[in-house]
């Protein structure tokens, strides 16, 4: 019996780890943030365009599978073009994945918080919208505001990451995201205010992923960078797992705005982590 479904996520996870390690290792130190910002923008566009493509071609029959296969085959072109520039994995890893969670928490836990908040909000935004009195179509449209913010901000944030302390930038992005999470419930269901707030939130929260990766690249190299990137992806996956469930609990307990209360909790904990690292390292 052929069971491809479990193998596909494993293969995509490997692609995540390898592509991010490759970019982090190959990018010049003074342009690493911009390079990762471009990567993050393409990643966000892919997540955004995937459902759009399926809405056009449908989910039945051979067409969606053929189109997905064609898109995957197109990714071979840049891989083949860059085959002579692949980074060398030199040295040995300094420790296990758990080791990198301990020695680089500001970078690795950025992935967990982004994964939790992003996946939770994207999953429950339509439910939130309906809960505050919006129509189904307007509630669904809120996702596009968040997605647009995710797409447009990563390159400018990467530019900043190349020119200032990355840990400080992570702290400022967290504070900004926390402020928006606290403010959004005061929109009282106004579509325009919600759209602006979610756009700003997407633009700020996406920086946690981009700058977290850049911080890993600035701190580690060779085999240690590969292991640190694996820890980063692990925490991102954990965040995607716990985000929807915890925000769903918040929604059930506190009403529609509960999803933003839970998101604010994640961001507050991460702000504490970044402050402690800034104080410890001076």
């Amino acid at each position: 019996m052929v069971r491809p479904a479990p193998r596909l996520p494993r293969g995509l996870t490997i692609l995540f780890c390898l592509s991010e390690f490759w970019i982090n290792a190959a990018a010049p130190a003074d342009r690493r943030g911009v390079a990762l910002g471009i990567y993050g923008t393409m990643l966000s566009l892919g997540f955004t365009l995937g459902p759009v493509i399926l809405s056009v071609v449908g989910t039945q029959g051979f067409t969606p599978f053929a189109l997905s296969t064609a898109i995957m085959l197109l990714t071979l072109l840049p891989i083949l073009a860059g085959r002579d520039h692949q980074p060398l994995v030199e040295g040995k890893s300094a420790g296990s994945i758990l080791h990198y969670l301990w020695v680089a928490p500001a970078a690795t836990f950025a992935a967990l918080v982004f994964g939790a908040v992003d996946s939770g909000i994207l999953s429950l935004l339509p439910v939130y919208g309906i809960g505050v009195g919006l129509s189904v179509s307007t509630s669904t449209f809120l996702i596009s505001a968040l997605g647009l913010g995710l797409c447009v901000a990563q390159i400018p944030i990467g530019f900043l990451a190349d020119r200032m302390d990355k840990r400080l930038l992570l702290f400022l992005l967290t504070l900004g995201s926390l402020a928006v999470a606290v403010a959004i419930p005061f929109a009282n269901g106004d579509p325009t205010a919600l759209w602006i707030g979610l756009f700003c939130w997407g633009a700020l929260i996406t920086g946690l992923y981009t700058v977290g990766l850049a911080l890993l690249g600035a701190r580690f190299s060779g085999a240690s960078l590969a292991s640190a990137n694996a820890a980063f992806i692990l925490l991102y996956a954990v965040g995607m797992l716990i985000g929807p469930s915890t925000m769903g609990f918040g929604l059930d307990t506190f009403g529609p705005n509960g999803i933003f209360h839970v998101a604010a909790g994640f961001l507050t904990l991460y702000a504490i982590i970044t402050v402690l690292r800034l104080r410890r390292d001076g």
Side-chain angles (χ1 to χ4, degrees):
M1 178 183 295
V2 177
R3 295 190 297 175
R7 294 171 186 158
L8 182 58
R10 286 199 295 267
L12 292 176
T13 300
I14 293 172
L15 286 177
F16 263 117
C17 290
L18 290 178
S19 61
E20 291 177 356
F21 166 68
W22 193 335
I23 295 170
N24 235 337
D30 60 342
R31 294 195 295 274
R32 181 178 287 116
V34 170
L36 289 168
I38 294 171
Y39 162 77
T41 301
M42 295 299 103
L43 184 64
S44 297
L45 283 174
F47 282 131
T48 302
L49 291 177
V52 174
I53 292 172
L54 286 179
S55 68
V56 173
V57 304
T59 59
Q60 304 296 320
F62 180 70
T63 301
F65 295 98
L67 188 57
S68 299
T69 301
I71 292 173
M72 290 183 183
L73 289 175
L74 283 175
T75 63
L76 292 175
L77 297 179
I79 294 174
L80 292 173
R83 65 186 182 276
D84 295 330
H85 303 283
Q86 56 184 310
L88 297 176
V89 183
E90 299 177 338
K92 296 180 64 176
S93 175
S96 65
I97 288 179
L98 293 178
H99 166 78
Y100 294 99
L101 306 186
W102 177 255
V103 300
T108 51
F109 280 92
L112 184 144
V113 174
F114 175 73
V117 174
D118 185 54
S119 63
I121 294 298
L122 286 176
S123 300
L124 295 172
L125 259 184
V127 180
Y128 164 81
I130 294 171
V132 296
L134 302 179
S135 66
V136 174
S137 59
T138 303
S139 299
T140 304
F141 187 64
L142 294 177
I143 297 176
S144 65
L146 186 68
L148 185 60
L150 292 170
C151 290
V152 302
Q154 299 202 48
I155 295 176
I157 288 174
F159 180 85
L160 287 175
D162 289 332
R163 285 157 179 80
M164 62 182 292
D165 187 319
K166 295 174 180 58
R167 295 163 304 171
L168 177 59
L169 181 56
L170 283 170
F171 176 66
L172 295 175
L173 290 169
T174 304
L175 282 188
S177 301
L178 177 58
V180 177
V182 172
I184 284 179
F186 292 98
N188 293 322
D190 179 75
T192 302
L194 285 173
W195 206 93
I196 294 173
L198 288 168
F199 171 83
C200 294
W201 204 28
L204 290 166
I205 199 74
T206 189
L208 298 186
Y209 196 92
T210 302
V211 181
L213 270 179
L215 183 56
L216 285 183
R219 180 161 184 182
F220 302 105
S221 61
S224 292
L225 177 57
S227 297
N229 200 92
F232 190 87
I233 295 296
L234 172 64
L235 284 199
Y236 176 66
V238 171
M240 292 185 70
L241 181 65
I242 66 176
S245 58
T246 54
M247 290 188 186
F249 174 79
L251 189 149
D252 290 338
T253 305
F254 303 106
N257 289 319
I259 63 175
F260 296 106
H261 300 335
V262 173
F266 278 115
L267 292 164
T268 299
L269 290 174
Y270 181 66
I272 293 172
I273 291 174
T274 54
V275 166
L276 292 176
R277 295 301 291 184
L278 282 168
R279 291 185 61 183
R280 197 198 79 164
D281 299 336

